[in-house]
């Protein structure tokens, strides 16, 4: 399609949508569509045919009915902070922006819930209920920007999910609009619902099953006390063993994070969190609960860390110091962004006991590919975020980075882990899905998808690879994570 | 012992012959659904712990393994299944527990069985052996089939193996009792729940409220001073007895309803005897009220009611009728996993 034809097509479609939406809610000029061309994984970019920004559920229903009738793909979008190109538009489809759904509809302190629209930002919920002594537990590092709808679609986690769970553990009800335009209530205000657990199925479904138009989240009372310990180590391995030792002592910390030297230095230079620049690795261990409990646990954890060979141990002495120490961790991605023109964030999860082995192999890959890696790690739950540093302006470097990233994910699968702990598959990890799942399993996923969206209009091409795609890549999973054709173009 | 191959052959044979299968562990929860006609498929041969490393907080276990055996292993390592499932007199299997999403007193604080399921191996209705989720705590690759299987009562496939997140056992526990009525109990509990007290269970009837505290001894002593209340002598026995339906309330043989409701809703206007758990969100009702009357009341507060025990002739469906808007999706999901309807057909609802 040439530019003139494309523009004509856009204008024609825009008229269809303008019949059901206010004119300003339908965008079809190239410059207006630019904002939506990528999510936070900006290596992937493309423009949708048009973007719509409804602000009532009724409008969403009408948009879906129209898309179904015209067989137009629909890609839902929250804040676009996703890291797997999940919200990447479809060039032949509609981008459905939920930014206007930004109202908190109800806060019920007695029930400890908040009913919110999907475009409400994660942090805005905790801020709104803070005066009541409550908060919403899952706290992705992107929480200032990302939306609760996106969180549900990705089953997002945060630094506190070892103790408080992921999004799936902290929501109780959704309102969703199906591709047919029907509005469904999934889950409910009671502890369970009759029939299948559709709430769990929807959580993490990456916009492939329906559009989330309302979320009821569970709130928790703020802990009476929270203390943050920082431990420095001269070897990454010792830090890894310390993590296992803390868990073995019978304590579940509220947060347990690890950073390696490159990540420590980048974060320290960026936010001056007070991290020891010469440490090979640091652990951040947060303990929360009642005053008495935290004091007791603090003592135990100090002892465990010392026995594990910590070379330095510091406890935040004030709320401000604690906030700053966390800030270093939460700003780790942008911090790494400052020391390299580009970085590529991986998201594999591994059994914790395999950490030393996996980190060694990542270091080896790093030298094989000549690409530095900074490691940020949700150590408590085994979720690794190796950040590969590269320069997209150097010819071939992005491709090498992606290939190396693929090898890291395959490594995670080969030790019994997964290719994605919290960022989702999106378009990015679609090939690695062929490594983690066999044809029958993928076919089962497609059957689930068809139960909701028989024509495959919702976020097509994401999350679950077509079987022929995997076949073309070769039966990758039988090779224990070794790609049969390392030279094969990845995307 | 690993019997997955044998089980798979039995499923394929059933598929070939077109005979439905009744998935059977130790038959402790037959009453959770409707009686199914078909050949029994015994899971109790497929037993054993496949992988357990306490410092990973994950255990992988075959479905036929007796629940008590798993719990004993965890206990020896200072850990537990945090959803506190009843063992139904020591006879429940792990598979049945997960298939029915059985959850006990700790549910309102730490979560239900579904919250701790990380992965599973299943045989679907095409006779294929599939693996979903994994042995790690965070995993968002693919749809969450493992949690979908939880509570599906085997209608979507045969569970062969599950990976569960486990937690350390609390250092100490204590149970406190208060003399108060139902409405006051609901009010008090909801006031306390907005504070960070280490509450791990609650139960009340028209005269008494019992709460359980779990945590470090220091935290328990401190909370006891703040909340007052009479310490109950054998805390563990109290909750075990409640969880296993050995509490005198359950002694009767008449109709028993299990109501799942918003925790803070007012006592419902239904005649009968009541016992409350899960901060008021789980309500047991011994009543001869008609199914219609019970369902009308719970629907008014967006809850649901299961006909837990009693004469099955009296009712059309054990589980609460589904929201009609969700029926087509349930049918299509059944079709997606079990197109020939060989697994427990009709156990949940006639067309699933
Ligand atoms: C600096 C940085 C740090 C991050 N840290 C974390 C972290 O700690 N933990 C973590 O889990 N993630 C993290 N992320 C990833 C990202 O923020 C999360 O995935 C987040 O949940 C995405 O929300 P969003 O609103 O931006 O969604 P988008 O990126 O807009 O969309 C994400 C996916 O959800 C779908 N979607 C969005 N809204 C809806 C809806 N209403 N209905 C149906 N589908 C919908 C989209 O189609 C897409 O597939 C980080 C990202 C960045 C940039």
């Amino acid at each position: 399609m040439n530019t003139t034809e494309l523009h004509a097509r856009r204008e024609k479609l825009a008229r269809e949508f303008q019949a059901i939406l206010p004119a300003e809610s339908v965008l079809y000029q190239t410059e207006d569509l630019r904002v939506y061309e990528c999510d936070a994984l900006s290596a992937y970019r493309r423009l949708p045919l048009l973007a719509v920004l409804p602000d009532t559920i009724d409008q969403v229903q009408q948009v879906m009915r129209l898309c179904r009738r015209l067989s137009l793909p629909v890609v839902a979008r929250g804040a676009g902070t996703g890291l797997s190109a999940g919200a990447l538009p479809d060039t032949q489809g509609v981008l459905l922006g939920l930014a206007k759904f930004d109202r908190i509809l109800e806060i019920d302190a007695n029930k400890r819930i908040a009913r919110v629209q999907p475009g409400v930002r994660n942090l805005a919920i905790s801020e709104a209920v803070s005066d009541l002594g409550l908060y919403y537990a899952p706290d992705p590092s992107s929480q200032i920007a990302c939306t609760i709808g996106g969180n549900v679609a990705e089953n997002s986690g945060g630094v506190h999910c070892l103790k408080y769970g992921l999004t799936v553990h902290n929501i109780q009800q959704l309102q969703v609009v199906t591709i047919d335009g029907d509005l469904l209530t999934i889950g409910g205000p009671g502890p369970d619902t009759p029939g299948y657990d559709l709430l769990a199925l929807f959580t993490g479904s990456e916009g492939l099953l329906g559009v989330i138009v309302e979320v009821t989240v569970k709130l928790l009372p703020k802990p009476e006390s929270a203390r943050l310990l920082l431990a420095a180590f001269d070897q990454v391995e010792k830090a890894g063993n310390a993590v296992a030792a803390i868990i073995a002592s019978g304590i579940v910390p509220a947060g347990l994070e690890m950073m390696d030297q490159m990540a420590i230095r980048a974060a320290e230079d960026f936010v001056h969190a007070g991290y020891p620049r010469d440490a090979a690795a640091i652990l951040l261990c947060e303990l929360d609960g009642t005053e008495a409990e935290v004091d007791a646990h603090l003592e135990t954890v100090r002892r465990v860390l010392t026995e594990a060979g910590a070379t330095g141990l510091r406890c935040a002495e004030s709320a401000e110091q604690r906030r700053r120490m966390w800030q270093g961790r939460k700003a780790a991605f942008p911090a790494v962004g400052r020391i390299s023109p580009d970085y590529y964030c991986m998201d594999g999860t591994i059994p914790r006991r395999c950490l030393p082995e996996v980190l060694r192999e990542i270091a080896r890959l790093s030298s094989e590919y000549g690409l530095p890696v900074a490691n940020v790690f949700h150590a408590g739950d085994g979720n690794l975020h190796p950040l590969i540093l590269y320069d997209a302006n150097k010819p071939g470097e992005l491709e090498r980075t992606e290939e190396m990233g693929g090898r890291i994910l395959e490594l995670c699968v080969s030790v019994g882990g997964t290719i994605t702990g919290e960022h989702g598959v999106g378009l990015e990890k679609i090939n690695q899905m062929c490594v983690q799942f066999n044809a029958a399993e993928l076919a089962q996923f497609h059957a689930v998808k068809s139960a909701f969206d028989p024509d495959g209009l919702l976020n097509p091409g994401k999350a679950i690879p077509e079987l022929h795609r995997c076949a073309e890549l070769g039966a990758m999973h039988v090779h224990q994570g070794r790609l049969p054709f390392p030279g094969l173009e990845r995307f | 012992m690993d019997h997955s191959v044998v089980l798979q052959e039995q499923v394929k044979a059933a598929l070939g012959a077109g005979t439905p299968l009744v998935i059977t562990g130790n038959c402790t929860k037959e009453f959770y659904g409707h009686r199914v006609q078909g050949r029994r498929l015994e899971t109790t041969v497929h037993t054993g712990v496949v992988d357990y490393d306490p410092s990973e907080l994950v255990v992988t276990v075959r479905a036929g393994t007796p629940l008590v055996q798993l719990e004993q292993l965890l206990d020896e390592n200072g850990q537990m299944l945090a959803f506190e499932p009843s063992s139904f007199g020591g006879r429940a299997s792990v598979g049945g527990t997960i298939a029915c999403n059985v959850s006990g007193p700790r549910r309102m604080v730490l979560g239900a069985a579904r919250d701790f399921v990380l992965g599973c191996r299943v045989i679907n209705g095409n006779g294929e052996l599939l693996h979903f989720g994994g042995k790690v705590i965070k995993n968002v690759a693919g749809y969450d089939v493992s949690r979908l299987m939880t509570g599906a009562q085997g209608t979507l496939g045969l569970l062969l193996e599950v990976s569960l997140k486990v937690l350390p056992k609390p250092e100490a526990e204590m149970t406190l009792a208060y003399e108060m009525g139902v409405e006051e109990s609901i009010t008090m509990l909801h006031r306390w729940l907005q504070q960070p007290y280490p509450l791990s269970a609650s139960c009340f009837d028209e005269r008494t409220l019992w709460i359980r505290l779990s945590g470090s001894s220091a935290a328990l002593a401190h909370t006891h001073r703040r909340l007052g209340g009479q310490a109950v002598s054998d805390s563990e026995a109290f909750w075990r007895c409640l969880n296993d339906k050995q509490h005198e309330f359950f002694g009767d043989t008449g109709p028993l309803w299990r109501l799942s409701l918003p925790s803070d809703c007012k006592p419902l206007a239904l005649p009968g005897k009541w016992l409350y758990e899960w901060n008021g969100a789980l309500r047991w009702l011994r009543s001869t009220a008609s199914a219609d009357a019970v369902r009308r009341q719970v629907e008014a507060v967006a809850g649901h009611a299961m006909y837990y025990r009693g004469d099955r002739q009296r009712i059309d469906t054990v589980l609460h009728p589904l929201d009609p808007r969700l029926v087509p999706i349930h049918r299509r999901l059944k079709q997606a996993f079990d197109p020939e309807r060989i697994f427990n057909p009709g156990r949940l609802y006639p067309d699933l």
Side-chain angles (χ1 to χ4, degrees):
Chain A
M1 206 184 302
N2 66 33
T3 332
T4 339
E5 279 168 12
L6 180 63
H7 196 74
R9 171 111 207 266
R10 284 191 169 139
E11 280 195 342
K12 183 164 170 285
L13 272 180
R15 278 195 296 278
E16 299 255 16
F17 283 91
Q18 280 158 352
I20 55 173
L21 295 172
E24 71 275 11
S25 302
V26 183
L27 308 176
Y28 61 100
Q29 303 290 354
T30 308
E31 55 272 32
D32 294 332
L33 297 175
R34 261 311 154 226
V35 203
Y36 304 107
E37 71 178 350
C38 65
D39 65 7
L41 182 61
S42 56
Y44 298 81
R45 290 170 192 270
R46 59 197 188 198
L47 292 181
L49 271 184
L50 73 170
V52 295
L53 304 171
D55 62 2
T56 65
I57 291 176
D58 183 58
Q59 286 175 3
V60 175
Q61 291 180 276
Q62 295 202 48
V63 166
M64 298 296 265
R65 286 186 198 120
L66 185 54
C67 289
R68 177 93 208 250
R69 184 160 65 74
L70 302 176
S71 283
L72 281 174
V74 190
V75 179
R77 180 185 174 100
T81 69
L83 286 169
S84 54
L88 184 76
D90 191 294
T91 53
Q92 297 309 310
V94 173
L95 189 287
L96 173 60
L98 291 141
K100 290 187 179 173
F101 284 86
D102 61 353
R103 280 181 300 271
I104 294 179
L105 302 170
E106 180 193 351
I107 292 170
D108 187 329
N110 213 39
K111 289 193 175 73
R112 283 158 291 119
I113 55 138
R115 197 161 58 81
V116 307
Q117 292 188 324
V120 170
R121 290 171 305 111
N122 172 296
L123 187 62
I125 301 175
S126 290
E127 284 171 352
V129 299
S130 177
D131 286 351
L132 300 166
L134 301 172
Y135 76 113
Y136 174 63
D139 57 343
S141 303
S142 52
Q143 68 184 147
I144 329 170
C146 65
T147 68
I148 191 71
N151 290 175
V152 174
E154 299 285 13
N155 192 16
S156 296
V159 296
H160 288 99
C161 60
L162 176 62
K163 183 164 176 182
Y164 296 107
L166 306 159
T167 305
V168 69
H169 303 106
N170 290 280
I171 57 174
Q172 72 174 31
Q173 181 177 295
L174 299 176
Q175 299 269 358
V176 303
V177 175
T178 66
I179 190 65
D180 297 308
D182 296 335
L183 179 66
L184 306 179
T185 301
I186 283 176
D192 38 44
T193 48
Y196 298 141
D197 195 336
L198 302 179
L199 188 63
L201 187 60
F202 246 86
T203 312
S205 64
E206 302 195 22
L208 271 76
L209 303 182
V211 174
I212 299 151
V213 292
E214 190 186 293
V215 184
T216 305
V217 301
K218 300 181 194 170
L219 305 170
L220 292 178
K222 286 190 220 170
E224 184 177 284
S225 162
R227 304 293 300 272
L228 181 60
L229 263 176
L230 186 155
F233 291 87
D234 57 7
Q235 280 174 24
V236 176
E237 242 159 73
K238 288 187 190 165
N241 293 335
V243 170
I246 292 173
I247 305 285
S249 76
I251 291 172
V252 179
L256 189 52
E257 297 286 312
M258 184 165 146
M259 292 163 77
D260 73 358
Q261 192 169 55
M262 191 177 304
I264 296 169
R265 292 188 174 172
E268 185 54 21
D269 292 343
F270 185 31
V271 299
H272 311 291
Y275 294 170
R277 292 175 51 89
D278 53 345
I282 58 166
L283 278 185
L284 289 169
C285 177
E286 181 155 288
L287 300 164
D288 72 7
T290 56
E291 210 83 60
E293 189 141 53
V294 172
D295 287 347
H297 285 175
L298 204 59
E299 208 166 300
T300 310
V301 171
R302 269 183 198 278
R303 183 174 46 71
V304 171
L305 288 169
T306 310
E307 283 168 9
T311 52
L313 212 53
R314 228 175 58 219
C315 185
E317 292 307 331
S318 64
E320 169 54 24
Q321 211 178 32
R322 173 170 157 254
R323 194 192 58 76
R324 220 151 47 92
M325 267 156 69
W326 266 129
Q327 207 194 353
R329 165 61 188 89
K330 291 206 173 187
F333 294 3
V336 168
R338 288 171 74 237
I339 60 169
S340 169
D342 299 284
Y343 70 89
Y344 189 42
C345 174
M346 313 308 301
D347 178 42
T349 303
I350 55 167
R352 269 188 309 262
R353 60 177 174 246
C354 304
L355 181 65
E357 164 192 351
V358 169
L359 287 181
R360 262 197 308 275
E361 182 61 15
I362 291 177
R364 203 193 57 71
L365 286 168
S366 168
S367 54
E368 180 185 327
Y369 283 82
L371 297 165
V373 175
N375 282 294
V376 180
F377 184 36
H378 298 299
D381 35 42
N383 189 195
L384 296 166
H385 291 319
L387 304 170
I388 308 174
L389 278 49
Y390 73 102
D391 182 350
N393 288 329
K394 290 198 187 143
E397 198 152 299
L398 172 62
E399 290 69 23
R400 271 196 302 133
T401 303
E402 285 181 338
E403 184 179 307
M404 176 174 158
R407 299 270 298 271
I408 294 178
L409 297 186
E410 285 146 24
L411 171 66
C412 293
V413 175
S414 72
V415 299
T418 172
I419 59 172
T420 175
E422 58 181 14
H423 295 165
V425 173
L427 184 60
E428 181 208 13
K429 302 180 197 78
I430 199 105
N431 286 350
Q432 280 74 37
M433 283 294 281
C434 312
V435 181
Q436 189 162 335
F437 296 99
N438 66 30
E441 288 153 356
L442 294 171
Q444 187 65 76
F445 285 144
H446 285 297
V448 169
K449 162 83 167 164
S450 299
F452 290 85
D453 176 22
D455 298 340
L457 293 175
L458 288 162
N459 217 358
K462 313 281 180 62
I464 316 292
E466 292 299 330
L467 295 178
H468 67 79
R469 183 179 188 117
C470 294
E472 281 160 22
L473 285 170
M476 296 201 290
H477 64 275
V478 299
H479 296 273
Q480 273 129 20
R482 301 295 281 175
L483 270 178
F485 309 109
L488 204 78
E489 197 191 349
R490 305 306 301 276
F491 294 107
Chain B
M1 274 289 285
D2 183 354
H3 273 73
S4 44
V5 176
V6 182
L7 288 166
Q8 191 176 13
E9 276 161 14
Q10 289 176 17
V11 172
K12 284 183 175 160
L15 263 173
T19 352
L21 292 170
V22 188
I23 304 174
T24 338
N26 282 319
C27 297
T28 56
K29 288 176 282 292
E30 244 172 4
F31 68 95
Y32 260 59
H34 294 271
R35 188 174 290 281
V36 179
Q37 302 296 333
R39 267 192 51 194
R40 284 162 76 104
L41 182 67
E42 306 275 353
T43 64
T44 46
V45 288
H46 188 59
T47 56
V49 171
V50 180
D51 189 9
Y52 176 46
D53 177 347
S55 81
E56 298 284 336
L57 296 178
V58 176
V59 64
T60 300
V61 57
R62 295 197 185 101
T65 312
L67 182 66
V68 284
Q69 203 173 309
L70 171 62
E71 291 194 305
Q72 192 188 333
L73 172 70
L74 297 176
D75 191 68
E76 285 161 10
N77 288 279
Q79 298 187 332
M80 63 177 185
L81 293 176
F83 51 99
E84 211 175 357
S86 167
S87 69
F88 287 81
R91 291 174 46 246
S93 67
V94 172
T97 302
I98 297 305
C100 294
N101 193 24
V102 177
S103 313
R106 239 178 274 277
R107 190 259 173 273
M108 281 315 279
V109 180
L110 291 178
R114 63 84 95 164
D115 291 304
F116 292 88
V117 174
L118 301 173
C120 63
R121 273 179 204 283
V122 295
I123 296 176
N124 71 2
N126 300 321
E128 295 161 328
L129 205 159
L130 311 176
H131 184 203
F132 297 104
K135 298 176 180 175
V136 287
I137 293 170
K138 277 165 89 177
N139 182 359
V140 295
Y143 302 117
D144 196 344
V145 173
S146 317
R147 289 199 170 88
L148 183 65
M149 290 286 162
T150 310
Q153 299 204 19
T155 59
L156 298 178
L158 171 67
L159 279 173
L160 287 178
E161 191 180 298
V162 287
S163 293
L164 302 170
K165 182 179 175 184
V166 299
L167 287 180
K169 289 173 61 176
E171 195 181 302
E173 303 206 301
M174 82 190 298
T175 297
L176 301 172
Y178 305 83
E179 295 307 309
M180 59 176 79
V182 167
E183 293 197 50
E184 201 186 345
S185 289
I186 293 177
T187 309
M188 283 310 273
L189 273 171
H190 284 81
R191 192 175 302 157
W192 292 340
L193 288 163
Q194 290 172 57
Q195 304 293 322
Y197 294 125
L199 250 60
S200 70
S202 66
C203 170
F204 51 99
D205 59 19
E206 63 269 24
R207 286 193 314 275
T208 315
L209 164 67
W210 295 270
I211 61 167
R212 182 175 64 189
L213 307 176
S214 304
S216 69
S217 320
L220 301 197
H222 180 72
T223 310
H224 188 190
R225 276 196 301 277
R226 290 260 272 272
L227 301 185
Q230 190 68 43
V232 169
S233 60
D234 193 346
S235 173
E236 201 198 326
F238 177 86
W239 299 101
R240 194 176 348 102
C241 165
L242 176 71
N243 202 12
D244 289 342
K245 309 275 171 299
Q246 301 296 312
H247 187 282
E248 60 180 6
F249 174 87
F250 300 103
D252 195 293
T253 52
L256 175 67
W257 289 87
R258 175 192 185 277
L259 274 48
S260 167
L261 305 169
S263 57
D264 67 347
C265 86
K266 294 240 165 337
L268 299 188
L270 286 165
K273 287 261 172 237
W274 294 86
L275 184 71
Y276 298 73
E277 289 189 71
W278 300 1
N279 307 326
L282 176 64
R283 302 185 184 188
W284 299 100
L285 168 63
R286 274 169 33 207
S287 172
T288 50
S290 73
D292 266 356
V294 175
R295 289 177 189 153
R296 224 175 311 126
Q297 291 261 343
V298 299
E299 276 170 21
V301 292
H304 70 100
M306 172 191 174
Y307 188 68
Y308 197 83
R309 189 182 68 195
D311 179 7
R312 289 291 160 95
Q313 304 303 321
R314 283 185 67 230
I315 44 137
D316 49 351
T317 150
V318 174
L319 298 176
H320 201 96
L322 285 176
D323 173 348
R325 288 168 303 177
L326 297 180
V327 171
I329 284 179
H330 277 77
R331 280 198 199 123
R332 293 198 295 259
L333 281 171
K334 171 74 175 175
Q335 172 77 21
F337 283 90
D338 182 19
E340 308 292 327
R341 303 183 81 246
I342 56 161
F343 289 124
N344 286 354
R347 182 173 161 111
L348 278 182
Y349 295 100
D351 45 0
L352 296 185

